[in-house]
Amino acid sequence: MYDPAPPHAHPTPQGYAQVPGKHRKRKAPDTDPIQPKTAAANGGRADQGNKLSEAEDDEHDSSSNEDNTGGSEGGEAGATQAQAAVADPTDDAAEMLASTSGRIHGDQQQQEEQTMSFAGGRWRLGGKHFFNQRGAQVTALDFHKQTGMLVVGFSNGIFDLFEMPKFDNIHTLSVSRSAINAITFSKGGDWIALGCAALGQLLVWEWRSESYILKQQGHYYDISTSAFSPDGTNLATGADDAKVKIWNVQSGFCFVTFSDHTAPVTAVAFLPSGSVVVSASLDGTVRAFDLVRYRNFRTMTSPHPVQFVSLAVDPAGEVICAGSLDTFQVYVWSVRTGRLLDVLAGHEGPVAGLAFSPTQSLLASASWDKTVRTWDVFSGKGGVEALQHSHDVLALAYRPDGKLLASATLDGQIYLWDPQEAQLLGSIEGRRDLAGGRLSSDRRALGNSTSGQCFTSLAFSADGAFLLAGGSTKYVCMYDVEEKVMLRRFQISHNRSLDGVLDLLNSKNMTEAGPVDLIDDDADDVDDVLPPPPEGGPGSAADMPGTGSKRRAAIRSRAVTLSPTGQTWAAATTEGLLLYSLDQGLVFDPTHLTEDITPAAAYKALGNRAFVRALLIALRLKDPDVLRHVIMSTPPNQVSTVAAGVPSSSVSQVLVALASYLADSPHLEFLLCWLRHVCLKHGKTLQHEKAAVVMPAIRSLQRVLSKTHEDLSAACDSNLYTLQYLCAAGQNVQPVK
């Protein structure tokens, strides 16, 4: 046996000649047939064998035939005689190779020393630590240099916090069952932010006090429905993960999640009071949730198990109606008692939509049986009218004045009806507006790509002038109701990882068997019918039949909702909940502008104490910064005079500005004084103004004032005894003489 290591790593054993690329064994002196075997020779061989181990232990000995010291005289003589008797020509070659190898080894050592000195020193392993997380892998980590803290996230949803360099474990916390994909320290090192992509979860952890700073999590599956609260401050969403979430529109944060349902949530709605949200689900229940105590206080069911897909609440908030998917009936319950009042039968297909008339005691229902039926729920007369369509009806919506009913059908049409006379007033051709975006499995030509696309959700604006429509397409369309034309089309996503975003497909990816990406070429048969299971569930293991799919999620908007303020509308899409807002403060209007209408002129008028002129200039400029500076710079004793000089056309603009200032300004009394004088001076103008112009400003003021009142009342209630003590102490203080 021989050591194939390079010469500089191990010495060459005696009895071998060193040849580049291999070791070649030479003849030992005692085996030469010319030399007679003597006892001295045998002794020399024995002595050489003993010294061979010493030569192997010395790393710097590269000579294979050096004389060994400390042996017996007989051994030395025998070795000398044997070496003298052998006339092998390979001895010279071995010596030359050994000397050459020594020179090469010295050059390599010198080069390594130069490299290490250039790098700043020799690196070595100082220590090795283990996380002791069985079956988990490190997915994210971050190190804070100032505090010496190391945070490590794992694939099982656990993160550890260590103190370096001792590697002391501060604490271990489990966030979820899914992998932590992102983790980072704050600048000061006190907060740790963690992100989980699978759950859509964001968490901020304060590790010193071991408390949550922020914890937000979106829906696990697609959002199926959404609804604004009556004041427009909150937004309720329901999704296929059987959860109902309530979001704050201004901050975008979810402040409560209800998980009482056991099947996908199909519809949500607020009661007129705004303190109760109602949801319908495929589990056969309609649940009412209290937003004050955050609990499910009412559960409404049917006599027989059914699946609910639509929901409606009457304007008075006393009756709840839900449409079923399998029995084709509409169930009516009382909100106060939860008792089933009536069952409306007459449809021959699933009831896809329900809506109460804002002005009459009529309920409209849309069904796949190509009809829209109106019902008199309170009188018990049952069905009133049946509006026939040519295709399945998928959605419907009442105009706020109750004089118009819109319905969307499977062929992409939108029909406008007079619900009182049961007459068709007109229709909107929406098939061409739906065009755009082709699925990867679509084998139709570009001209026929609109086949199968339709609107599945409708919503009227606050004044009834516009109609929003969304459905199985990447667009949300806005129509003018009076002219029946499309005003604008919003593309809800440009994410190419979703199916249906691209307008043109690459023909090389299409084969006779279908798209290349969808061909199942795996060895095992996999059922792609079932949806993927939740993380950590019994069916979440890889390669389990019926739990995987190569199909990408298709872009669509399952629900569109418009805020009662008229400033915001929401779309529940494949990517999530999208909010679109109209900020009138950023709209530039060049009307009545001259060379003298400039910000400098407004500031100059303020300096000259011409407060009315400064306000008029700021209103014409429509610059929010200039307008705020002028309003806040007006003396309190001049507010009444300046408020009277506001033009009638700009009253709503001033109200919206005051509402925005009240939300973040500490000068509460001053702004309330402004608001009081504007309402007193222009009360009649506001009464005769169109609701579409005034109501958004009034609702914004109502929202801000109600929130301010809640904050002040909470502060006063918690400090009531302190205030009483201070007042009593002030009365008992004796004046100093």
Side-chain angles (χ1 to χ4, degrees):
M1 298 295 293
Y2 63 91
D3 188 359
H8 63 273
H10 298 282
T12 304
Q14 292 188 12
Y16 291 87
Q18 202 170 34
V19 180
K22 63 179 181 178
H23 287 160
R24 185 178 60 187
K25 186 174 182 180
R26 9 181 288 223
K27 296 179 180 180
D30 56 274
T31 58
D32 197 319
I34 301 176
Q35 180 66 25
K37 296 181 180 180
T38 60
N42 293 334
R45 289 196 304 271
D47 184 72
Q48 286 182 355
N50 293 332
K51 294 302 178 180
L52 181 60
S53 61
E54 296 179 3
E56 289 177 350
D57 293 336
D58 188 6
E59 292 183 356
H60 301 285
D61 186 9
S62 60
S63 175
S64 61
N65 52 4
E66 183 179 357
D67 293 339
N68 297 314
T69 60
S72 62
E73 295 180 359
E76 293 178 359
T80 304
Q81 264 187 352
Q83 292 176 4
V86 176
D88 194 346
T90 60
D91 290 341
D92 296 335
E95 291 178 0
M96 292 177 62
L97 290 174
S99 60
T100 304
S101 174
R103 288 197 303 271
I104 294 175
H105 179 55
D107 294 339
Q108 290 178 351
Q109 284 184 343
Q110 184 178 3
Q111 186 176 5
E112 288 179 1
E113 290 177 359
Q114 293 177 357
T115 304
M116 290 301 180
S117 62
F118 178 77
R122 184 182 296 275
W123 293 88
R124 63 184 180 85
L125 181 63
K128 183 182 292 186
H129 304 277
F130 297 92
F131 296 114
N132 297 324
Q133 294 289 343
R134 292 187 177 181
Q137 297 179 350
V138 177
T139 55
L141 60 88
D142 189 29
F143 177 70
H144 194 262
K145 185 177 180 181
Q146 286 75 13
T147 58
M149 304 302 294
L150 175 68
V151 59
V152 183
F154 299 94
S155 58
N156 56 1
I158 296 177
F159 76 91
D160 287 335
L161 184 65
F162 300 95
E163 183 180 3
M164 305 299 290
K166 297 181 180 180
F167 207 75
D168 294 334
N169 191 336
I170 304 301
H171 62 242
T172 300
L173 185 68
S174 176
V175 179
S176 63
R177 296 182 180 180
S178 300
I180 298 175
N181 302 97
I183 190 168
T184 183
F185 275 102
S186 63
K187 185 177 181 180
D190 296 332
W191 292 0
I192 302 174
L194 305 102
C196 179
L199 300 178
Q201 188 178 37
L202 174 64
L203 185 142
V204 179
W205 173 259
E206 210 281 325
W207 63 272
R208 296 186 186 273
S209 62
E210 298 186 4
S211 60
Y212 289 111
I213 303 299
L214 175 68
K215 187 175 183 181
Q216 289 293 310
Q217 181 176 343
H219 286 286
Y220 191 84
Y221 290 128
D222 291 351
I223 300 176
S224 58
T225 179
S226 62
F228 277 97
S229 61
D231 58 356
T233 58
N234 298 327
L235 180 67
T237 58
D240 293 343
D241 59 358
K243 293 182 181 180
V244 176
K245 290 180 176 290
I246 313 298
W247 308 80
N248 184 278
V249 176
Q250 186 174 3
S251 64
F253 289 153
C254 172
F255 60 89
V256 62
T257 300
F258 300 105
S259 305
D260 298 88
H261 286 292
T262 58
V265 179
T266 55
V268 293
F270 276 92
L271 263 63
S273 61
S275 60
V276 177
V277 63
V278 185
S279 62
S281 173
L282 294 179
D283 61 2
T285 62
V286 174
R287 298 178 182 269
F289 302 99
D290 186 0
L291 297 184
V292 178
R293 298 177 179 86
Y294 299 140
R295 62 187 180 92
N296 174 212
F297 71 94
R298 190 85 70 224
T299 301
M300 289 153 279
T301 60
S302 60
H304 304 284
V306 296
Q307 293 180 317
F308 296 117
V309 293
S310 56
L311 184 70
V313 180
D314 76 307
E318 298 179 355
V319 170
I320 297 176
C321 299
S324 63
L325 178 67
D326 39 13
T327 62
F328 316 146
Q329 295 174 335
V330 179
Y331 296 84
V332 184
W333 295 275
S334 172
V335 176
R336 293 184 178 181
T337 62
R339 186 170 61 90
L340 182 64
L341 301 178
D342 198 359
V343 178
L344 306 178
H347 282 294
E348 299 177 357
V351 182
L354 291 174
F356 269 99
S357 173
T359 57
Q360 296 179 344
S361 59
L362 291 179
L363 172 68
S365 60
S367 175
W368 293 4
D369 61 0
K370 304 179 183 180
T371 62
V372 171
R373 295 180 180 270
T374 56
W375 314 81
D376 193 345
V377 177
F378 299 96
S379 64
K381 296 180 181 180
V384 178
E385 295 289 348
L387 309 178
Q388 298 293 331
H389 295 71
S390 59
H391 292 79
D392 298 358
V393 186
L394 305 178
L396 81 164
Y398 264 105
R399 198 166 66 178
D401 59 1
K403 297 180 180 180
L404 190 67
L405 178 65
S407 58
T409 57
L410 189 60
D411 60 344
Q413 299 278 349
I414 299 177
Y415 295 93
L416 304 177
W417 300 84
D418 184 353
Q420 299 178 358
E421 303 295 334
Q423 294 181 357
L424 181 64
L425 301 179
S427 63
I428 299 175
E429 177 65 39
R431 181 180 292 273
R432 293 183 179 179
D433 303 331
L434 289 166
R438 300 180 62 192
L439 301 176
S440 59
S441 59
D442 195 355
R443 299 191 179 186
R444 302 183 183 92
L446 182 61
N448 299 325
S449 60
T450 59
S451 179
Q453 293 181 340
C454 54
F455 294 118
T456 58
S457 180
L458 299 175
F460 274 99
S461 61
D463 58 352
F466 308 117
L467 178 66
L468 282 174
S472 57
T473 178
K474 65 176 181 178
Y475 295 111
V476 173
C477 302
M478 177 180 290
Y479 293 97
D480 186 287
V481 177
E482 190 68 26
E483 301 295 334
K484 301 178 180 61
V485 295
M486 186 180 70
L487 300 177
R488 189 172 179 182
R489 192 168 64 169
F490 302 90
Q491 183 170 348
I492 57 179
S493 178
H494 296 272
N495 187 1
R496 294 193 173 190
S497 64
L498 298 176
D499 205 0
V501 175
L502 297 178
D503 293 330
L504 298 177
L505 300 178
N506 195 339
S507 59
K508 74 176 183 180
N509 295 328
M510 183 62 67
T511 64
E512 295 180 356
V516 175
D517 298 336
L518 299 183
I519 296 178
D520 187 6
D521 53 357
D522 296 335
D524 298 333
D525 294 335
V526 179
D527 187 7
D528 292 340
V529 176
L530 298 179
E535 284 283 335
S540 60
D543 299 333
M544 178 171 286
T547 60
S549 176
K550 293 185 177 181
R551 295 185 177 90
R552 296 179 297 169
I555 185 64
R556 58 177 176 172
S557 56
R558 300 180 63 177
V560 291
T561 313
L562 201 138
S563 174
T565 61
Q567 301 295 308
T568 307
W569 64 273
T573 68
T574 306
E575 280 193 315
L577 186 66
L578 306 182
L579 290 179
Y580 293 81
S581 179
L582 179 63
D583 190 355
Q584 294 181 351
L586 301 179
V587 179
F588 178 71
D589 186 8
T591 308
H592 304 300
L593 287 183
T594 62
E595 294 181 356
D596 297 334
I597 306 301
T598 60
Y603 298 144
K604 184 178 180 180
L606 281 177
N608 297 332
R609 299 185 63 81
F611 301 107
V612 177
R613 174 175 170 76
L615 181 61
L616 294 177
I617 294 175
L619 290 173
R620 291 180 181 179
L621 287 173
K622 289 193 175 181
D623 189 334
D625 296 332
V626 176
L627 181 60
R628 179 164 188 157
H629 181 77
V630 170
I631 291 178
M632 302 303 294
S633 300
T634 303
N637 56 358
Q638 296 290 328
V639 171
S640 176
T641 305
V642 177
V646 176
S648 301
S649 59
S650 302
V651 174
S652 60
Q653 182 181 353
V654 174
L655 292 178
V656 172
L658 291 175
S660 63
Y661 305 158
L662 284 168
D664 57 0
S665 177
H667 308 289
L668 181 60
E669 183 180 0
F670 176 73
L671 293 175
L672 290 177
C673 180
W674 255 101
L675 182 61
R676 178 174 177 270
H677 286 292
V678 170
C679 293
L680 288 176
K681 300 296 183 181
H682 303 279
K684 294 183 179 180
T685 303
L686 294 174
Q687 290 179 357
H688 297 289
E689 192 70 39
K690 291 183 179 180
V693 179
V694 180
M695 289 308 295
I698 298 298
R699 287 194 176 99
S700 299
L701 281 172
Q702 181 186 4
R703 181 176 68 251
V704 175
L705 292 177
S706 61
K707 184 178 184 302
T708 305
H709 180 267
E710 291 177 1
D711 296 341
L712 288 177
S713 61
C716 293
D717 292 341
S718 60
N719 297 280
L720 179 61
Y721 296 105
T722 304
L723 293 175
Q724 293 178 354
Y725 171 78
L726 293 176
C727 293
Q731 294 176 359
N732 297 330
V733 172
Q734 299 295 332
V736 180
K737 296 182 179 179

